[in-house]
Amino acid sequence: MHYTTAHEDTELIQLLTPDGELREHPDYPLDISAAEVRGLYRDLVLVRRIDTEAVALQRQGELGLWASLLGQEAAQVGSGRALRANDMVFPSYREHGVAWCRDVDPWELLGLFRGVTNGGWDPNEHGFQLYTIVIGTQNLHATGYAMGVQRDGALGDDGTAVISYFGDGATSQGDTNEAFNFAAVNNAPVVFFCQNNQWAISEPLERQARVPLYQRALGYGFPGVRIDGNDVLATLAVTRRALRSAREGQGPTLIEAFTYRMGAHTTNDDPTRYRVSAEIDEWKQRDPILRLRAYLANQGMATDTFFAEVDTEADQLGERVRDECRALADPEPLDIFREVYAEPNSHIDRQRADFAEYLASFEDAGVTEGR
Amino acid sequence: MGSKLTLGRAINTGLRQAMEADPKVLVMGEDVGKLGGVFRVTDGLQKDFGADRVIDTPLAESGIVGTAIGLALRGYRPVCEIQFDGFFFPAANQTFSQLAKIRRRSAGVLSVPVVIRIPYGGGIGAVEHHSESPEAYFTHTAGLRVVTAATPEDAYWAIQQAVASDDPVIFLEPKRRYYEKAEVDTDATLSAAPPLDAARVARPGSDATIVAYGPMVKTALQAAEADTERDIEVIDLRSLAPIDYDTVADSVRRTGRLVVVHEAPLTNGVGGEISARVTEECFYHLEAPVMRVCGFDTPYPQSRLEEYYLPDLDRILDGIDRAFAY
């Protein structure tokens, strides 16, 4: 395989092979019921459906843009299901699967991409902060939040761990490296979850780093681990352990989820300009959903009826996503001025008043269309 | 009861008040702990409030502001110290793209009450990056409040108001005035202090108005005193975002002439904006165009040239002369 060396492969933590065979790992014993595994399968299928619908909605003009997570479902669902209610997530902009695990409705995600909001949900209600588009910046927010958790004395088994999501490209950002260092120096309860999907738009990993990404952690003084990001069980087990370590006051962990961006960077991107289809075909063999389905079927943990029910649920969810998306109303023009400041601001107040008067002048003139 | 405090000590005392009033207030930055900051503005705070509340950070400005945002999202009120004006820029993305926008992004669900204190301006004979006036970058960014203090009394109250504000505040401290002393009534209550966004008539007058802020207020007052022929009003702007245009316009309607003074470069500075706004609001009251006495559109010069770069008493008087000669 050209995208990883033999040495790196020995470091890769995998519990479920691409063929759906379970392999025990001494450091990461799997403590999971059959019902939970079926739940993960359902998550993976539904998250992929949300993504497929969103891409279609963008093509239909209902969304301005969409950043597809195709291929990264296991990395997101595995880590997302490792979280507890008290934990706090700092996402980048592709974490639709984590959002799903945090009970953010899919259509709440769509508002940002439709252009009706820059946010869309209450971060504190979900333990899931708003999407952050400038890459790497959220790693510092997560670290600061974790420093706050320490000051609140909110560690321990019922405490709070923080997890920050970012990609391989973001590891080149100063903010990511500053976050690693601030987190290490403060022993902050934060897990840095890097989805290495091999491509930062058109730039392959070798343009970002000369060492395996998980090894960066060593230089900052905390553990780094590489997992098979297309293996939902390994992702779950390793993330659980890292979160527990954070909660117990043992400081940060870097997890590099080795995965692949099966789709374009966003709906504006054309990956045929910079990568070959053979690479995609290779990664199709490692599909996160197929391997879990094979495992469930081989172990007799799920019946055909179960798989059919999940597919039906996905169809229903898809329809709901389409309907809810189209129902997302445009904001009012004067919303431009809302919540720029918490306190009254004479500049904004005046501009809002002037613009309101300007808009009203069209109504006075009997012009109601076109504004 | 009042006491005589330097401007630096007044900020220190104000920070102490803020930390006593609210356990969520934190101080963070480079050398703010044992050393008390390179200007000693945080002197003694770590000793009294502990290293968890007065945090010596790694030397990374983006990290300071970025983690302050995270702390604010967790319910804290961090006061960051950026050691010098010219060291702010690594924190630009976190300040302009994150801190300033999070409230709006979240439709008001999230507040990030972070204060960024920056010793700013020239006049101390420093090496490069230690004498700059970057206020226009901040005032051009929606979501930030930008304030500066010209006197110990103002600094004492303004830092407490900045900490209490639910909006992010850029708090610009005129470093060359750090050691100037004046009476501060530390027994008064915070609610009795003038609002953070109100300008102040520092010297009443009837013939022309000077608008200045931060380190230039003292110089403007000296120029006004030196002008024995004309009765010059001096306004200390105090807040640069938002600007108290009511106070400025009231003055200009009375005097008919306006000179705006700042150390920052002339072009696209606060002076240009005030000039435009006063022209809109006071057009028929103006006897002359608004004059600006500012730094030049050059990098801040080596210190042996800074006395030529910085507006001084003579250049301000020259600006007033131009307003009267028009």
PDB file of all heavy atoms in Angstrom, chain B residues 287-319:
ATOM      1  N   GLU B 287     -16.325  75.678  10.498  1.00  0.00           N
ATOM      2  CA  GLU B 287     -15.676  76.876   9.931  1.00  0.00           C
ATOM      3  C   GLU B 287     -14.476  76.475   9.085  1.00  0.00           C
ATOM      4  O   GLU B 287     -13.938  77.308   8.343  1.00  0.00           O
ATOM      5  CB  GLU B 287     -15.185  77.793  11.062  1.00  0.00           C
ATOM      6  CG  GLU B 287     -16.270  78.258  12.024  1.00  0.00           C
ATOM      7  CD  GLU B 287     -17.234  79.260  11.393  1.00  0.00           C
ATOM      8  OE1 GLU B 287     -16.862  79.854  10.367  1.00  0.00           O
ATOM      9  OE2 GLU B 287     -18.359  79.385  11.913  1.00  0.00           O
ATOM     10  N   ALA B 288     -14.048  75.242   9.249  1.00  0.00           N
ATOM     11  CA  ALA B 288     -12.873  74.750   8.521  1.00  0.00           C
ATOM     12  C   ALA B 288     -12.990  73.242   8.395  1.00  0.00           C
ATOM     13  O   ALA B 288     -13.740  72.618   9.162  1.00  0.00           O
ATOM     14  CB  ALA B 288     -11.592  75.094   9.297  1.00  0.00           C
ATOM     15  N   PRO B 289     -12.264  72.648   7.439  1.00  0.00           N
ATOM     16  CA  PRO B 289     -12.258  71.184   7.369  1.00  0.00           C
ATOM     17  C   PRO B 289     -11.673  70.604   8.658  1.00  0.00           C
ATOM     18  O   PRO B 289     -10.910  71.271   9.356  1.00  0.00           O
ATOM     19  CB  PRO B 289     -11.322  70.875   6.190  1.00  0.00           C
ATOM     20  CG  PRO B 289     -11.159  72.149   5.453  1.00  0.00           C
ATOM     21  CD  PRO B 289     -11.389  73.260   6.430  1.00  0.00           C
ATOM     22  N   VAL B 290     -12.032  69.385   8.949  1.00  0.00           N
ATOM     23  CA  VAL B 290     -11.456  68.705  10.116  1.00  0.00           C
ATOM     24  C   VAL B 290      -9.978  68.432   9.835  1.00  0.00           C
ATOM     25  O   VAL B 290      -9.625  67.899   8.786  1.00  0.00           O
ATOM     26  CB  VAL B 290     -12.201  67.392  10.405  1.00  0.00           C
ATOM     27  CG1 VAL B 290     -11.554  66.655  11.585  1.00  0.00           C
ATOM     28  CG2 VAL B 290     -13.669  67.660  10.670  1.00  0.00           C
ATOM     29  N   MET B 291      -9.128  68.841  10.765  1.00  0.00           N
ATOM     30  CA  MET B 291      -7.686  68.621  10.612  1.00  0.00           C
ATOM     31  C   MET B 291      -7.277  67.378  11.385  1.00  0.00           C
ATOM     32  O   MET B 291      -7.834  67.087  12.440  1.00  0.00           O
ATOM     33  CB  MET B 291      -6.899  69.826  11.152  1.00  0.00           C
ATOM     34  CG  MET B 291      -7.221  71.128  10.442  1.00  0.00           C
ATOM     35  SD  MET B 291      -6.722  71.078   8.708  1.00  0.00           S
ATOM     36  CE  MET B 291      -7.538  72.570   8.099  1.00  0.00           C
ATOM     37  N   ARG B 292      -6.281  66.684  10.849  1.00  0.00           N
ATOM     38  CA  ARG B 292      -5.772  65.504  11.557  1.00  0.00           C
ATOM     39  C   ARG B 292      -4.285  65.681  11.831  1.00  0.00           C
ATOM     40  O   ARG B 292      -3.531  66.091  10.940  1.00  0.00           O
ATOM     41  CB  ARG B 292      -6.002  64.238  10.728  1.00  0.00           C
ATOM     42  CG  ARG B 292      -7.450  63.815  10.658  1.00  0.00           C
ATOM     43  CD  ARG B 292      -7.650  62.670   9.681  1.00  0.00           C
ATOM     44  NE  ARG B 292      -7.441  63.094   8.292  1.00  0.00           N
ATOM     45  CZ  ARG B 292      -7.319  62.260   7.263  1.00  0.00           C
ATOM     46  NH1 ARG B 292      -7.377  60.966   7.466  1.00  0.00           N
ATOM     47  NH2 ARG B 292      -7.136  62.728   6.046  1.00  0.00           N
ATOM     48  N   VAL B 293      -3.891  65.405  13.054  1.00  0.00           N
ATOM     49  CA  VAL B 293      -2.477  65.432  13.440  1.00  0.00           C
ATOM     50  C   VAL B 293      -2.146  64.025  13.938  1.00  0.00           C
ATOM     51  O   VAL B 293      -2.601  63.618  15.011  1.00  0.00           O
ATOM     52  CB  VAL B 293      -2.218  66.487  14.540  1.00  0.00           C
ATOM     53  CG1 VAL B 293      -0.749  66.467  14.942  1.00  0.00           C
ATOM     54  CG2 VAL B 293      -2.640  67.865  14.064  1.00  0.00           C
ATOM     55  N   CYS B 294      -1.398  63.299  13.135  1.00  0.00           N
ATOM     56  CA  CYS B 294      -1.277  61.853  13.372  1.00  0.00           C
ATOM     57  C   CYS B 294       0.152  61.382  13.106  1.00  0.00           C
ATOM     58  O   CYS B 294       1.001  62.148  12.651  1.00  0.00           O
ATOM     59  CB  CYS B 294      -2.215  61.089  12.437  1.00  0.00           C
ATOM     60  SG  CYS B 294      -3.931  61.606  12.558  1.00  0.00           S
ATOM     61  N   GLY B 295       0.370  60.105  13.378  1.00  0.00           N
ATOM     62  CA  GLY B 295       1.583  59.464  12.914  1.00  0.00           C
ATOM     63  C   GLY B 295       1.571  59.385  11.393  1.00  0.00           C
ATOM     64  O   GLY B 295       0.538  59.603  10.752  1.00  0.00           O
ATOM     65  N   PHE B 296       2.728  59.104  10.820  1.00  0.00           N
ATOM     66  CA  PHE B 296       2.827  59.037   9.358  1.00  0.00           C
ATOM     67  C   PHE B 296       2.497  57.628   8.857  1.00  0.00           C
ATOM     68  O   PHE B 296       2.477  56.673   9.635  1.00  0.00           O
ATOM     69  CB  PHE B 296       4.236  59.449   8.930  1.00  0.00           C
ATOM     70  CG  PHE B 296       4.603  60.827   9.410  1.00  0.00           C
ATOM     71  CD1 PHE B 296       5.598  61.005  10.371  1.00  0.00           C
ATOM     72  CD2 PHE B 296       3.939  61.958   8.928  1.00  0.00           C
ATOM     73  CE1 PHE B 296       5.929  62.279  10.829  1.00  0.00           C
ATOM     74  CE2 PHE B 296       4.268  63.233   9.385  1.00  0.00           C
ATOM     75  CZ  PHE B 296       5.259  63.392  10.345  1.00  0.00           C
ATOM     76  N   ASP B 297       2.281  57.534   7.552  1.00  0.00           N
ATOM     77  CA  ASP B 297       1.962  56.236   6.950  1.00  0.00           C
ATOM     78  C   ASP B 297       3.243  55.436   6.702  1.00  0.00           C
ATOM     79  O   ASP B 297       3.510  54.953   5.598  1.00  0.00           O
ATOM     80  CB  ASP B 297       1.207  56.430   5.633  1.00  0.00           C
ATOM     81  CG  ASP B 297      -0.191  56.982   5.860  1.00  0.00           C
ATOM     82  OD1 ASP B 297      -0.603  57.131   7.035  1.00  0.00           O
ATOM     83  OD2 ASP B 297      -0.874  57.290   4.864  1.00  0.00           O
ATOM     84  N   THR B 298       4.010  55.331   7.737  1.00  0.00           N
ATOM     85  CA  THR B 298       5.284  54.611   7.670  1.00  0.00           C
ATOM     86  C   THR B 298       5.309  53.615   8.817  1.00  0.00           C
ATOM     87  O   THR B 298       4.547  53.754   9.767  1.00  0.00           O
ATOM     88  CB  THR B 298       6.467  55.572   7.891  1.00  0.00           C
ATOM     89  OG1 THR B 298       6.409  56.080   9.246  1.00  0.00           O
ATOM     90  CG2 THR B 298       6.427  56.741   6.918  1.00  0.00           C
ATOM     91  N   PRO B 299       6.178  52.624   8.745  1.00  0.00           N
ATOM     92  CA  PRO B 299       6.390  51.836   9.966  1.00  0.00           C
ATOM     93  C   PRO B 299       6.877  52.772  11.075  1.00  0.00           C
ATOM     94  O   PRO B 299       7.509  53.795  10.793  1.00  0.00           O
ATOM     95  CB  PRO B 299       7.481  50.841   9.562  1.00  0.00           C
ATOM     96  CG  PRO B 299       7.383  50.758   8.072  1.00  0.00           C
ATOM     97  CD  PRO B 299       6.977  52.129   7.613  1.00  0.00           C
ATOM     98  N   TYR B 300       6.573  52.412  12.293  1.00  0.00           N
ATOM     99  CA  TYR B 300       7.044  53.228  13.416  1.00  0.00           C
ATOM    100  C   TYR B 300       8.564  53.317  13.332  1.00  0.00           C
ATOM    101  O   TYR B 300       9.245  52.302  13.200  1.00  0.00           O
ATOM    102  CB  TYR B 300       6.609  52.601  14.746  1.00  0.00           C
ATOM    103  CG  TYR B 300       6.743  53.563  15.901  1.00  0.00           C
ATOM    104  CD1 TYR B 300       5.707  54.429  16.210  1.00  0.00           C
ATOM    105  CD2 TYR B 300       7.917  53.631  16.638  1.00  0.00           C
ATOM    106  CE1 TYR B 300       5.833  55.335  17.256  1.00  0.00           C
ATOM    107  CE2 TYR B 300       8.045  54.531  17.686  1.00  0.00           C
ATOM    108  CZ  TYR B 300       7.005  55.384  17.993  1.00  0.00           C
ATOM    109  OH  TYR B 300       7.128  56.289  19.027  1.00  0.00           O
ATOM    110  N   PRO B 301       9.123  54.527  13.421  1.00  0.00           N
ATOM    111  CA  PRO B 301      10.562  54.669  13.152  1.00  0.00           C
ATOM    112  C   PRO B 301      11.426  54.202  14.319  1.00  0.00           C
ATOM    113  O   PRO B 301      10.943  53.984  15.429  1.00  0.00           O
ATOM    114  CB  PRO B 301      10.717  56.178  12.960  1.00  0.00           C
ATOM    115  CG  PRO B 301       9.666  56.763  13.832  1.00  0.00           C
ATOM    116  CD  PRO B 301       8.499  55.807  13.764  1.00  0.00           C
ATOM    117  N   GLN B 302      12.722  54.105  14.031  1.00  0.00           N
ATOM    118  CA  GLN B 302      13.685  53.825  15.096  1.00  0.00           C
ATOM    119  C   GLN B 302      13.563  54.928  16.146  1.00  0.00           C
ATOM    120  O   GLN B 302      13.210  56.057  15.845  1.00  0.00           O
ATOM    121  CB  GLN B 302      15.108  53.707  14.531  1.00  0.00           C
ATOM    122  CG  GLN B 302      15.590  54.873  13.683  1.00  0.00           C
ATOM    123  CD  GLN B 302      15.215  54.740  12.222  1.00  0.00           C
ATOM    124  OE1 GLN B 302      14.063  54.492  11.888  1.00  0.00           O
ATOM    125  NE2 GLN B 302      16.184  54.941  11.342  1.00  0.00           N
ATOM    126  N   SER B 303      13.899  54.582  17.386  1.00  0.00           N
ATOM    127  CA  SER B 303      13.517  55.458  18.503  1.00  0.00           C
ATOM    128  C   SER B 303      14.147  56.852  18.426  1.00  0.00           C
ATOM    129  O   SER B 303      13.568  57.820  18.912  1.00  0.00           O
ATOM    130  CB  SER B 303      13.849  54.786  19.833  1.00  0.00           C
ATOM    131  OG  SER B 303      15.227  54.544  19.924  1.00  0.00           O
ATOM    132  N   ARG B 304      15.313  56.960  17.781  1.00  0.00           N
ATOM    133  CA  ARG B 304      15.948  58.275  17.692  1.00  0.00           C
ATOM    134  C   ARG B 304      15.169  59.231  16.786  1.00  0.00           C
ATOM    135  O   ARG B 304      15.472  60.410  16.715  1.00  0.00           O
ATOM    136  CB  ARG B 304      17.388  58.151  17.174  1.00  0.00           C
ATOM    137  CG  ARG B 304      18.319  57.413  18.136  1.00  0.00           C
ATOM    138  CD  ARG B 304      18.573  58.230  19.399  1.00  0.00           C
ATOM    139  NE  ARG B 304      19.378  57.473  20.345  1.00  0.00           N
ATOM    140  CZ  ARG B 304      20.326  58.033  21.106  1.00  0.00           C
ATOM    141  NH1 ARG B 304      20.566  59.320  21.055  1.00  0.00           N
ATOM    142  NH2 ARG B 304      21.005  57.276  21.945  1.00  0.00           N
ATOM    143  N   LEU B 305      14.186  58.673  16.075  1.00  0.00           N
ATOM    144  CA  LEU B 305      13.352  59.530  15.214  1.00  0.00           C
ATOM    145  C   LEU B 305      11.924  59.662  15.736  1.00  0.00           C
ATOM    146  O   LEU B 305      11.110  60.363  15.149  1.00  0.00           O
ATOM    147  CB  LEU B 305      13.313  58.944  13.783  1.00  0.00           C
ATOM    148  CG  LEU B 305      14.604  59.047  12.980  1.00  0.00           C
ATOM    149  CD1 LEU B 305      14.438  58.341  11.627  1.00  0.00           C
ATOM    150  CD2 LEU B 305      14.999  60.503  12.761  1.00  0.00           C
ATOM    151  N   GLU B 306      11.612  59.005  16.841  1.00  0.00           N
ATOM    152  CA  GLU B 306      10.197  58.961  17.218  1.00  0.00           C
ATOM    153  C   GLU B 306       9.650  60.317  17.631  1.00  0.00           C
ATOM    154  O   GLU B 306       8.462  60.580  17.485  1.00  0.00           O
ATOM    155  CB  GLU B 306       9.927  57.899  18.289  1.00  0.00           C
ATOM    156  CG  GLU B 306      10.458  58.178  19.660  1.00  0.00           C
ATOM    157  CD  GLU B 306      10.104  57.053  20.653  1.00  0.00           C
ATOM    158  OE1 GLU B 306       9.171  56.274  20.414  1.00  0.00           O
ATOM    159  OE2 GLU B 306      10.792  56.971  21.689  1.00  0.00           O
ATOM    160  N   GLU B 307      10.511  61.209  18.101  1.00  0.00           N
ATOM    161  CA  GLU B 307       9.998  62.536  18.485  1.00  0.00           C
ATOM    162  C   GLU B 307       9.490  63.309  17.267  1.00  0.00           C
ATOM    163  O   GLU B 307       8.684  64.226  17.404  1.00  0.00           O
ATOM    164  CB  GLU B 307      11.051  63.336  19.243  1.00  0.00           C
ATOM    165  CG  GLU B 307      12.264  63.708  18.427  1.00  0.00           C
ATOM    166  CD  GLU B 307      13.257  64.543  19.233  1.00  0.00           C
ATOM    167  OE1 GLU B 307      12.946  65.711  19.506  1.00  0.00           O
ATOM    168  OE2 GLU B 307      14.333  64.024  19.578  1.00  0.00           O
ATOM    169  N   TYR B 308       9.981  62.921  16.081  1.00  0.00           N
ATOM    170  CA  TYR B 308       9.468  63.568  14.863  1.00  0.00           C
ATOM    171  C   TYR B 308       8.177  62.898  14.392  1.00  0.00           C
ATOM    172  O   TYR B 308       7.339  63.511  13.753  1.00  0.00           O
ATOM    173  CB  TYR B 308      10.512  63.514  13.741  1.00  0.00           C
ATOM    174  CG  TYR B 308      11.775  64.245  14.105  1.00  0.00           C
ATOM    175  CD1 TYR B 308      12.907  63.550  14.533  1.00  0.00           C
ATOM    176  CD2 TYR B 308      11.843  65.647  14.028  1.00  0.00           C
ATOM    177  CE1 TYR B 308      14.061  64.223  14.886  1.00  0.00           C
ATOM    178  CE2 TYR B 308      12.997  66.327  14.381  1.00  0.00           C
ATOM    179  CZ  TYR B 308      14.103  65.608  14.809  1.00  0.00           C
ATOM    180  OH  TYR B 308      15.244  66.278  15.158  1.00  0.00           O
ATOM    181  N   TYR B 309       8.098  61.599  14.660  1.00  0.00           N
ATOM    182  CA  TYR B 309       6.933  60.819  14.200  1.00  0.00           C
ATOM    183  C   TYR B 309       5.702  61.117  15.055  1.00  0.00           C
ATOM    184  O   TYR B 309       4.587  61.273  14.550  1.00  0.00           O
ATOM    185  CB  TYR B 309       7.281  59.329  14.267  1.00  0.00           C
ATOM    186  CG  TYR B 309       6.154  58.388  13.905  1.00  0.00           C
ATOM    187  CD1 TYR B 309       5.980  57.950  12.597  1.00  0.00           C
ATOM    188  CD2 TYR B 309       5.263  57.935  14.880  1.00  0.00           C
ATOM    189  CE1 TYR B 309       4.962  57.083  12.269  1.00  0.00           C
ATOM    190  CE2 TYR B 309       4.235  57.068  14.556  1.00  0.00           C
ATOM    191  CZ  TYR B 309       4.090  56.648  13.252  1.00  0.00           C
ATOM    192  OH  TYR B 309       3.067  55.792  12.935  1.00  0.00           O
ATOM    193  N   LEU B 310       5.919  61.198  16.354  1.00  0.00           N
ATOM    194  CA  LEU B 310       4.789  61.354  17.274  1.00  0.00           C
ATOM    195  C   LEU B 310       4.268  62.795  17.251  1.00  0.00           C
ATOM    196  O   LEU B 310       5.055  63.745  17.302  1.00  0.00           O
ATOM    197  CB  LEU B 310       5.236  61.011  18.699  1.00  0.00           C
ATOM    198  CG  LEU B 310       5.570  59.547  18.966  1.00  0.00           C
ATOM    199  CD1 LEU B 310       6.267  59.396  20.315  1.00  0.00           C
ATOM    200  CD2 LEU B 310       4.299  58.705  18.924  1.00  0.00           C
ATOM    201  N   PRO B 311       2.939  62.927  17.202  1.00  0.00           N
ATOM    202  CA  PRO B 311       2.387  64.276  17.356  1.00  0.00           C
ATOM    203  C   PRO B 311       2.848  64.849  18.703  1.00  0.00           C
ATOM    204  O   PRO B 311       2.791  64.157  19.720  1.00  0.00           O
ATOM    205  CB  PRO B 311       0.871  64.046  17.353  1.00  0.00           C
ATOM    206  CG  PRO B 311       0.688  62.753  16.645  1.00  0.00           C
ATOM    207  CD  PRO B 311       1.894  61.923  16.998  1.00  0.00           C
ATOM    208  N   ASP B 312       3.330  66.089  18.672  1.00  0.00           N
ATOM    209  CA  ASP B 312       3.713  66.734  19.923  1.00  0.00           C
ATOM    210  C   ASP B 312       2.987  68.064  20.033  1.00  0.00           C
ATOM    211  O   ASP B 312       2.153  68.405  19.191  1.00  0.00           O
ATOM    212  CB  ASP B 312       5.237  66.893  20.019  1.00  0.00           C
ATOM    213  CG  ASP B 312       5.792  67.761  18.896  1.00  0.00           C
ATOM    214  OD1 ASP B 312       4.972  68.332  18.113  1.00  0.00           O
ATOM    215  OD2 ASP B 312       7.018  67.884  18.788  1.00  0.00           O
ATOM    216  N   LEU B 313       3.304  68.783  21.060  1.00  0.00           N
ATOM    217  CA  LEU B 313       2.619  70.041  21.324  1.00  0.00           C
ATOM    218  C   LEU B 313       2.654  70.973  20.099  1.00  0.00           C
ATOM    219  O   LEU B 313       1.628  71.540  19.694  1.00  0.00           O
ATOM    220  CB  LEU B 313       3.286  70.693  22.545  1.00  0.00           C
ATOM    221  CG  LEU B 313       2.658  71.930  23.148  1.00  0.00           C
ATOM    222  CD1 LEU B 313       2.913  71.950  24.656  1.00  0.00           C
ATOM    223  CD2 LEU B 313       3.222  73.195  22.515  1.00  0.00           C
ATOM    224  N   ASP B 314       3.814  71.108  19.480  1.00  0.00           N
ATOM    225  CA  ASP B 314       3.944  72.030  18.347  1.00  0.00           C
ATOM    226  C   ASP B 314       3.130  71.577  17.138  1.00  0.00           C
ATOM    227  O   ASP B 314       2.506  72.399  16.460  1.00  0.00           O
ATOM    228  CB  ASP B 314       5.421  72.164  17.952  1.00  0.00           C
ATOM    229  CG  ASP B 314       6.180  73.029  18.960  1.00  0.00           C
ATOM    230  OD1 ASP B 314       5.535  73.897  19.592  1.00  0.00           O
ATOM    231  OD2 ASP B 314       7.395  72.821  19.120  1.00  0.00           O
ATOM    232  N   ARG B 315       3.142  70.268  16.892  1.00  0.00           N
ATOM    233  CA  ARG B 315       2.370  69.798  15.721  1.00  0.00           C
ATOM    234  C   ARG B 315       0.873  69.967  15.963  1.00  0.00           C
ATOM    235  O   ARG B 315       0.106  70.222  15.028  1.00  0.00           O
ATOM    236  CB  ARG B 315       2.717  68.337  15.403  1.00  0.00           C
ATOM    237  CG  ARG B 315       3.973  68.247  14.498  1.00  0.00           C
ATOM    238  CD  ARG B 315       4.317  66.796  14.204  1.00  0.00           C
ATOM    239  NE  ARG B 315       3.261  66.107  13.468  1.00  0.00           N
ATOM    240  CZ  ARG B 315       3.156  64.795  13.369  1.00  0.00           C
ATOM    241  NH1 ARG B 315       4.034  64.016  13.975  1.00  0.00           N
ATOM    242  NH2 ARG B 315       2.184  64.250  12.670  1.00  0.00           N
ATOM    243  N   ILE B 316       0.451  69.798  17.202  1.00  0.00           N
ATOM    244  CA  ILE B 316      -0.971  69.990  17.490  1.00  0.00           C
ATOM    245  C   ILE B 316      -1.333  71.477  17.340  1.00  0.00           C
ATOM    246  O   ILE B 316      -2.357  71.816  16.717  1.00  0.00           O
ATOM    247  CB  ILE B 316      -1.312  69.475  18.904  1.00  0.00           C
ATOM    248  CG1 ILE B 316      -1.095  67.954  18.964  1.00  0.00           C
ATOM    249  CG2 ILE B 316      -2.761  69.824  19.260  1.00  0.00           C
ATOM    250  CD1 ILE B 316      -1.252  67.359  20.360  1.00  0.00           C
ATOM    251  N   LEU B 317      -0.471  72.350  17.849  1.00  0.00           N
ATOM    252  CA  LEU B 317      -0.718  73.790  17.678  1.00  0.00           C
ATOM    253  C   LEU B 317      -0.739  74.158  16.197  1.00  0.00           C
ATOM    254  O   LEU B 317      -1.545  74.984  15.756  1.00  0.00           O
ATOM    255  CB  LEU B 317       0.356  74.600  18.411  1.00  0.00           C
ATOM    256  CG  LEU B 317       0.252  74.601  19.946  1.00  0.00           C
ATOM    257  CD1 LEU B 317       1.445  75.353  20.551  1.00  0.00           C
ATOM    258  CD2 LEU B 317      -1.068  75.241  20.407  1.00  0.00           C
ATOM    259  N   ASP B 318       0.131  73.528  15.434  1.00  0.00           N
ATOM    260  CA  ASP B 318       0.146  73.764  13.993  1.00  0.00           C
ATOM    261  C   ASP B 318      -1.176  73.333  13.366  1.00  0.00           C
ATOM    262  O   ASP B 318      -1.716  74.008  12.478  1.00  0.00           O
ATOM    263  CB  ASP B 318       1.324  73.001  13.365  1.00  0.00           C
ATOM    264  CG  ASP B 318       1.386  73.177  11.861  1.00  0.00           C
ATOM    265  OD1 ASP B 318       1.627  74.320  11.411  1.00  0.00           O
ATOM    266  OD2 ASP B 318       1.158  72.185  11.126  1.00  0.00           O
ATOM    267  N   GLY B 319      -1.715  72.215  13.845  1.00  0.00           N
ATOM    268  CA  GLY B 319      -3.013  71.756  13.350  1.00  0.00           C
ATOM    269  C   GLY B 319      -4.116  72.753  13.680  1.00  0.00           C
ATOM    270  O   GLY B 319      -4.995  73.031  12.848  1.00  0.00           O
TER     271      GLY B 319
END
